[in-house]
Amino acid sequence: MAKELAKTYDPKGLEDRIYQKWLDNHYFHATVNPDKKPFTIVIPPPNVTGQLHMGHALDETMQDILIRFKRMQGYETLWQPGTDHAAIATEVKVTEKLREQGIDKDEIGREEFLKHAWAWKEEYGGKITNQLKKLGASADWERERFTMDEGCSKAVQEVFIRLYEKGYIYKGSRIINWCPVCQTSISDAEVEHVDQDGFFWHINYPIVGEEGKFVEIATTRPETLLGDTAVAVNPEDERYQHLIGKMLELPLTGRQIPVIADSYVDKEFGTGCVKITPAHDPNDFEVGKRHSLPEINIMNDDATINELGGKYAGMDRYEARRAMVEDLKELGLLVKVVPHAHNVGTHDRCKTTVEPMIKPQWFVKMDEMAKPAIEALKDGSLQFVPERFGKIYLHWLENIRDWCISRQLWWGHRIPAYYCDECGETVVAREMPKICPKCGCTHFTQDEDTLDTWFSSALWPFSTLGWPDQTPELDYFFPTDVLVTGYDIIFFWVIRMVFSSLEQTGKVPFHHVLIHGLVRDAQGRKMSKSLGNGIDPLKIIDEFGADALRLTLMTGNAPGNDMNFSNERVTASRNFANKVWNASRFIMMNLERARVPEEMDLAALTGADKWILSKVNTLAAEVTENLDKYELGIAVQKVYDFIWDEFCDWYIEMVKPRLYNEEDTTKSAALWTLKTVLTNALKLLHPYMPFITEEIFCTLHPEEESIMISAWPVYQEAWNFAREEREVEAIKEAVRAIRNVRTDMNVAPSKKAQVFVVSENPEVRSMFEEGKVFFATLGSASSVHVQADKAGIGDDAISAVIPDAVLYLPFAELVDIEKEIERLKKEEERLTKELARVNGMLGNERFISKAPKAKVDEEKAKLEKYTQMMEQVKARLAQLA
RNA sequence: GGAAGCAUAGCGCAGCUGGGAGCGCGCUCGCCUGACUAGCGGGAGGUCAUGGGUUCGAGUCCCAUUGCUUCCACCA
């Protein structure tokens, strides 16, 4: 062997070295290859200036597993990587950085600011991709994209123009969600409703011309009173019929406003009288439209009261609220203040309470585009895993509202709309128009706004492949196969990709959407900056290795469920890596000492060899099946159990005597089996733990280039050995029985003992005759005698009943008859229960007639087995009594 | 106000299409057995939230209840 494995498993150094090798060999690079079937995943682009967190680690690990699996299966796999410009997040960061340097964003202006932003992007943009590489991500970095690069920007512009020309994009003055801190509009999806303890302020509005008479309204936002243009009651409300049409004096303003009737008002809620502020409440906005009420905007962009607010002008909205409540109290118009819990819309990025405002904004009309997206789910061309997330998707689409896409930011795709300086005509075009089609003027000004970040992310699955050009890549890799993401992003991203793709390409962007949950801390709390409970994946990688981190993220986790992360779990994963490492070392040590045949005649294998070969064969089928179903957790659990339990704890131990005995004629069979089974197990494990498997594989197979381009194990009938599987299981059963007896009797492991196997069945005897070699190493037996009767076994031997046979261990000086009887009674009790259960089932006519025949036969076989064992136990008890 | 998810061993979880309750950690007893103490062998520990139903058979399917979590929603 050319190379040797280090004595202990240490991921440090090893992982970076291997990753570099993969890069050098361009294994991640996908090309259009008509001879192969494509398999494509686009990465959910992380924020370009972001930092890798556990959520990414989980998301990317899942994608990498699927990609590596498919690559080994022979697909041309493209994992399309890239980053997102993350408009608000980046703009905020750059603004802050400039402020630290004493630079004011507004002073330097748009162009200068963008220079700084791009410089920032160049400096920090590579950070997160480098962190992904630490994880082992086998993405095609040669195709890395950025949502604001030339191609993606071209796609954005194209889509905007197409939708505009189709009438799906329009500009309108409507009430939108305004973030006073970020100073931009935001979409409905970006508004997070949080519970807050607030108050209901009951305020009297005097009725004009009726001295001493009032209308009592209740509001949670008294400061908006300044923008009231009516008070509404329900038209059915008998209490207030007489008020409809009357004028009220709006306190603190001197204005007069009418009482109107609108069915929007709930008679039961509050006082039944609602102040209407069309400019600062979405419902009131609608009411205002219905009744042609004036819209009075009383706030500046930073949510301070504007000049229309009289003495309150300049105050912050909350400051104004306090001042106004005081003033109302003084005027005797404040009736009462009642505590009231309600939901307040906040900006998901900065947690500022959003202020509804009327502003001219660009919108995407959603009703028509939602239809095919709904249809795609219903006809199955788009499927969620787990399925339940499809309901969330449908619900959102069926209740979708127009999407506000303009943002008052600089960092992003600028809206390709131009306004004529003379007549104000709007021209949407790929570049600045030369001449106004309306007035002939030649001077235009481009719209100042940029697009919502999600507008470009929505095009990601095809913009990255060259769309709108019909590139060979687009033709070959699109539609993509599966999208892997968290449930928190379904509305923002998944839905928008689906309708955008259907609209622009006529195809779904992906066939499956694999949804995973959140990674929480050990106590199940959300990881957050404020709690300080976030676990840095890079620190985990540094301490335990990327393989251990990846395994931890994949074990014991069902699709769509949240998972709790703890260092204890990573330790367990690392221990497994060490187990794999050392088992491999052991095998290679032995391979060095002898020649292993390239080809093996399966007939030359022993029962144990066939057993483990059969097991790894089944394992390949099961792992493949579960990966195909996206059951990544179940698949890896099976690999884990196989390697640790079956392969290491049983097979390797069984095979040791053959390795140590120079005369053994089956030695090369053992070595071949060890090598073959290890190789297959490594391959099945590779998608999960790419580094350690690569290191071992290449050491084991110096002639091979890399495990990641080796062939995925396929189930083969030639490796199916059902009989040997049964036999070895029986032998394991016997070994366990021996170990049990020894522990029960407190026999030191160093003390070897004789073992007698008694069975009347000659077939069983010959099986144990062949398997008895294992009793020595695994059961600390000094000698094993397989015989048909109890000849030569004293009454003072301890016994254990197993199916088809009884084991006797003579421990003359140690035997405690009482204890032995106790053991047998316990066994009798267990068998009695089992027999009762089986008899109950078989005694039930309806079970016999209705249950599948295979099940009935299975139970009959059990009955026979337990009956036989019971006879043995009883005979033994009678003998001791 | 709607909707979804979860409830299984002390802790963290798996159990996919119904057919004898599992994994990891922890605990406990015994072992330095020539790959591994990041290990090996044995063990204790569960009325599968509660109550009904379907079925020959339910942790698994259906209904209701309780508790926790989450998402959606314009009751001022």
Side-chain angles (χ1 to χ4, degrees):
Chain A
M1 207 117 316
K3 208 167 64 171
E4 225 178 81
L5 284 183
K7 293 253 188 314
T8 49
Y9 165 64
D10 179 16
K12 276 211 187 80
L14 180 157
E15 296 187 347
D16 288 343
R17 190 188 78 230
I18 289 175
Y19 199 85
Q20 192 54 49
K21 168 188 142 185
W22 289 335
L23 285 178
D24 292 344
N25 288 298
H26 305 276
Y27 292 148
F28 306 160
H29 187 51
T31 50
V32 173
N33 181 349
D35 297 335
K36 283 179 165 187
K37 276 168 77 177
F39 181 84
T40 313
I41 295 179
V42 287
I43 199 170
N47 289 0
V48 65
T49 59
Q51 170 87 14
L52 190 81
H53 60 241
M54 276 300 171
H56 294 125
L58 172 64
D59 197 51
E60 315 317 347
T61 298
M62 290 174 78
Q63 293 170 64
D64 196 43
I65 288 166
L66 294 171
I67 284 285
R68 285 178 184 273
F69 164 55
K70 288 290 178 181
R71 189 184 287 121
M72 289 173 76
Q73 276 194 324
Y75 288 80
E76 184 68 26
T77 47
L78 169 61
W79 186 9
Q80 172 65 53
T83 49
D84 189 280
H85 65 283
I88 293 184
T90 307
E91 180 140 337
V92 166
K93 276 186 193 170
V94 174
T95 306
E96 269 169 19
K97 193 188 163 206
L98 289 175
R99 197 178 300 138
E100 278 166 23
Q101 298 169 0
I103 301 171
D104 183 78
K105 173 186 161 188
D106 290 313
E107 268 172 36
I108 60 172
R110 183 170 197 137
E111 244 173 83
E112 230 4 70
F113 177 84
L114 284 177
K115 276 185 199 161
H116 282 103
W118 277 105
W120 165 279
K121 185 256 169 190
E122 291 311 318
E123 193 176 347
Y124 296 100
K127 197 169 158 190
I128 192 145
T129 45
N130 285 327
Q131 292 172 334
L132 289 176
K133 291 174 184 172
K134 284 272 179 198
L135 247 189
S138 63
D140 188 353
W141 300 111
E142 294 168 49
R143 293 183 184 275
E144 187 177 347
R145 300 297 298 271
F146 175 54
T147 48
M148 270 170 70
D149 66 23
E150 205 188 323
C152 290
S153 300
K154 186 177 163 193
V156 165
Q157 194 184 62
E158 185 66 27
V159 169
F160 188 96
I161 291 168
R162 285 188 187 188
L163 291 179
Y164 179 78
E165 285 171 354
K166 206 169 170 180
Y168 284 180
I169 280 183
Y170 63 91
K171 191 177 190 181
S173 251
R174 295 200 353 205
I175 192 149
I176 46 89
N177 309 293
W178 182 262
C179 176
V181 168
C182 302
Q183 303 253 332
T184 179
S185 56
I186 55 176
S187 70
D188 294 335
E190 287 161 286
V191 177
E192 208 171 74
H193 294 273
V194 295
D195 283 329
Q196 259 181 32
D197 289 326
F199 296 95
F200 238 160
W201 282 273
H202 288 246
I203 302 165
N204 270 342
Y205 284 13
I207 299 172
V208 173
E210 295 183 30
E211 193 67 25
K213 294 207 170 169
F214 306 93
V215 169
E216 183 182 330
I217 59 94
T219 180
T220 54
R221 302 197 53 201
E223 70 278 11
T224 61
L225 175 155
L226 298 170
D228 284 3
T229 54
V231 165
V233 297
N234 190 291
E236 311 282 308
D237 198 331
E238 284 152 24
R239 294 173 298 174
Y240 301 126
Q241 290 298 320
H242 64 287
L243 290 176
I244 299 169
K246 289 200 172 152
M247 294 303 284
L248 305 175
E249 186 193 320
L250 186 62
L252 309 173
T253 64
R255 281 196 287 120
Q256 291 194 352
I257 57 171
V259 177
I260 59 167
D262 195 289
S263 55
Y264 151 70
V265 179
D266 181 349
K267 289 190 285 186
E268 313 298 325
F269 193 78
T271 62
C273 303
V274 186
K275 62 191 273 308
I276 300 297
T277 321
H280 295 284
D281 182 285
N283 298 306
D284 295 4
F285 179 78
E286 297 299 327
V287 174
K289 284 280 178 239
R290 283 199 286 275
H291 297 268
S292 307
L293 298 174
E295 292 156 356
I296 303 176
N297 176 20
I298 57 156
M299 284 191 215
N300 299 310
D301 286 352
D302 60 356
T304 55
I305 304 298
N306 66 19
E307 68 286 354
L308 296 177
K311 68 179 274 201
Y312 307 103
M315 288 184 186
D316 173 76
R317 49 188 166 166
Y318 301 110
E319 205 182 332
R321 176 183 298 178
R322 279 189 295 274
M324 288 168 62
V325 168
E326 275 311 305
D327 291 349
L328 288 166
K329 202 190 276 175
E330 246 167 64
L331 289 168
L333 293 174
L334 185 68
V335 182
K336 58 181 174 182
V337 184
V338 187
H340 178 69
H342 59 142
N343 259 332
V344 179
T346 59
H347 184 196
D348 61 355
R349 293 242 160 244
C350 67
K351 309 299 173 196
T352 308
T353 300
V354 299
E355 188 60 49
M357 297 253 223
I358 297 170
K359 297 230 172 220
Q361 299 287 341
W362 290 89
F363 296 88
V364 177
K365 197 162 160 299
M366 285 312 311
D367 46 4
E368 283 305 316
M369 278 200 284
K371 284 177 191 166
I374 291 170
E375 196 45 41
L377 186 88
K378 290 188 171 167
D379 71 18
S381 49
L382 178 74
Q383 285 177 342
F384 278 81
V385 181
E387 227 172 316
R388 66 183 132 94
F389 290 101
K391 285 185 201 166
I392 296 178
Y393 168 95
L394 272 188
H395 182 261
W396 172 270
L397 276 172
E398 282 164 354
N399 296 283
I400 200 159
R401 296 195 294 168
D402 288 357
W403 173 18
C404 175
I405 50 168
S406 46
R407 295 290 180 275
Q408 290 64 54
L409 300 170
W410 288 339
W411 179 244
H413 302 95
R414 196 157 174 183
I415 290 178
Y418 304 86
Y419 306 109
C420 171
D421 287 346
E422 282 300 319
C423 69
E425 174 73 358
T426 304
V427 178
V428 168
R430 286 170 183 80
E431 52 194 38
M432 177 88 69
K434 298 269 184 296
I435 187 160
C436 176
K438 200 171 171 189
C439 70
C441 156
T442 54
H443 294 285
F444 286 83
T445 306
Q446 185 172 4
D447 195 297
E448 292 295 325
D449 290 353
T450 51
L451 287 164
D452 182 4
T453 302
W454 299 103
F455 192 92
S456 56
S457 325
L459 318 179
W460 189 246
F462 48 98
S463 66
T464 48
L465 293 172
W467 189 94
D469 298 330
Q470 268 306 319
T471 61
E473 279 85 358
L474 188 68
D475 191 47
Y476 182 69
F477 291 112
F478 187 84
T480 70
D481 290 272
V482 55
L483 180 86
V484 183
T485 195
Y487 54 67
D488 49 334
I489 213 170
I490 294 176
F491 307 128
F492 287 105
W493 194 43
V494 180
I495 284 177
R496 286 167 181 168
M497 277 191 285
V498 176
F499 69 68
S500 300
S501 178
L502 285 168
E503 171 68 23
Q504 303 305 333
T505 72
K507 295 173 187 164
V508 287
F510 28 73
H511 304 295
H512 295 146
V513 183
L514 177 56
I515 298 289
H516 60 250
L518 263 39
V519 184
R520 298 171 175 277
D521 75 0
Q523 283 86 47
R525 298 172 306 177
K526 225 172 183 170
M527 289 189 190
S528 73
K529 276 182 193 156
S530 54
L531 270 174
N533 62 340
I535 300 168
D536 182 358
L538 296 165
K539 279 194 184 139
I540 299 288
I541 290 173
D542 195 49
E543 193 179 343
F544 300 96
D547 285 333
L549 171 64
R550 292 168 61 117
L551 182 64
T552 306
L553 289 169
M554 294 322 304
T555 47
N557 184 232
N561 286 7
D562 289 354
M563 68 172 332
N564 295 0
F565 190 96
S566 65
N567 277 27
E568 288 69 45
R569 295 190 52 226
V570 193
T571 306
S573 301
R574 192 273 321 265
N575 292 353
F576 176 67
N578 191 55
K579 188 73 186 175
V580 173
W581 187 263
N582 279 298
S584 305
R585 259 184 65 216
F586 172 77
I587 291 167
M588 285 187 265
M589 269 168 43
N590 284 285
L591 291 174
E592 275 170 28
R593 298 204 213 107
R595 239 177 56 83
V596 187
E598 281 299 312
E599 297 294 324
M600 191 73 207
D601 178 9
L602 295 181
L605 298 182
T606 68
D609 301 336
K610 289 178 180 173
W611 163 73
I612 198 71
L613 201 58
S614 199
K615 282 280 186 184
V616 82
N617 194 34
T618 315
L619 179 72
E622 289 175 344
V623 170
T624 306
E625 190 190 324
N626 279 292
L627 282 172
D628 281 335
K629 286 193 295 187
Y630 301 113
E631 285 285 359
L632 309 191
I634 292 177
V636 75
Q637 187 66 50
K638 286 180 186 291
V639 180
Y640 182 102
D641 290 343
F642 172 82
I643 291 180
W644 201 316
D645 187 44
E646 307 279 22
F647 189 57
C648 292
D649 289 349
W650 284 101
Y651 183 70
I652 292 183
E653 294 305 324
M654 285 174 153
V655 106
K656 276 179 179 174
R658 291 158 66 191
L659 299 177
Y660 298 149
N661 178 2
E662 292 307 322
E663 319 287 280
D664 197 304
T665 52
T666 65
K667 193 170 179 171
S668 63
L671 290 168
W672 179 85
T673 308
L674 281 170
K675 186 174 178 180
T676 305
V677 173
L678 175 63
T679 301
N680 278 279
L682 287 172
K683 287 182 177 186
L684 296 173
L685 184 61
H686 177 259
Y688 294 87
M689 306 182 86
F691 295 111
I692 188 174
T693 50
E694 173 79 325
E695 181 72 358
I696 298 169
F697 180 86
C698 290
T699 315
L700 187 64
H701 298 277
E703 75 286 1
E704 296 269 359
E705 235 182 85
S706 168
I707 193 171
M708 65 171 286
I709 52 166
S710 71
W712 184 254
V714 181
Y715 178 88
Q716 43 188 308
E717 199 46 50
W719 285 10
N720 179 18
F721 298 104
R723 186 171 59 86
E724 284 79 359
E725 279 203 42
R726 278 196 307 276
E727 288 175 358
V728 171
E729 291 308 326
I731 285 161
K732 283 167 69 181
E733 189 74 25
V735 168
R736 273 193 285 258
I738 295 169
R739 286 169 174 171
N740 262 308
V741 168
R742 296 181 58 98
T743 305
D744 276 6
M745 294 296 131
N746 265 322
V747 184
S750 54
K751 186 172 167 59
K752 307 285 183 208
Q754 279 189 298
V755 175
F756 292 87
V757 183
V758 177
S759 176
E760 291 169 2
N761 185 335
E763 274 180 41
V764 174
R765 281 203 304 278
S766 81
M767 176 185 90
F768 279 111
E769 196 60 53
E770 197 188 323
K772 71 181 190 185
V773 55
F774 304 125
F775 293 9
T777 41
L778 305 181
S780 303
S782 56
S783 63
V784 184
H785 313 275
V786 181
Q787 49 195 57
D789 54 34
K790 287 184 283 186
I793 306 167
D795 282 350
D796 54 356
I798 300 169
S799 61
V801 175
I802 58 172
D804 299 323
V806 182
L807 305 174
Y808 292 91
L809 288 83
F811 289 126
E813 73 279 20
L814 287 164
V815 172
D816 178 339
I817 298 295
E818 291 304 312
K819 216 171 170 185
E820 169 75 342
I821 292 175
E822 199 183 307
R823 275 172 28 80
L824 287 163
K825 293 239 172 182
K826 227 171 124 186
E827 179 67 3
E828 185 184 25
E829 203 180 310
R830 188 184 74 90
L831 287 169
T832 306
K833 269 197 223 161
E834 294 293 356
L835 282 167
R837 196 189 61 80
V838 176
N839 278 320
M841 281 176 94
L842 292 172
N844 185 336
E845 280 167 40
R846 294 202 284 180
F847 172 73
I848 304 289
S849 59
K850 294 197 172 184
K853 186 167 184 306
K855 183 66 193 167
V856 177
D857 290 346
E858 194 184 319
E859 294 302 323
K860 281 183 180 163
K862 281 181 195 168
L863 176 65
E864 198 180 324
K865 182 174 102 180
Y866 292 136
T867 307
Q868 183 269 132
M869 286 173 78
M870 187 60 129
E871 277 166 18
Q872 296 290 348
V873 169
K874 287 210 161 119
R876 178 67 182 156
L877 274 169
Q879 184 190 2
L880 291 173

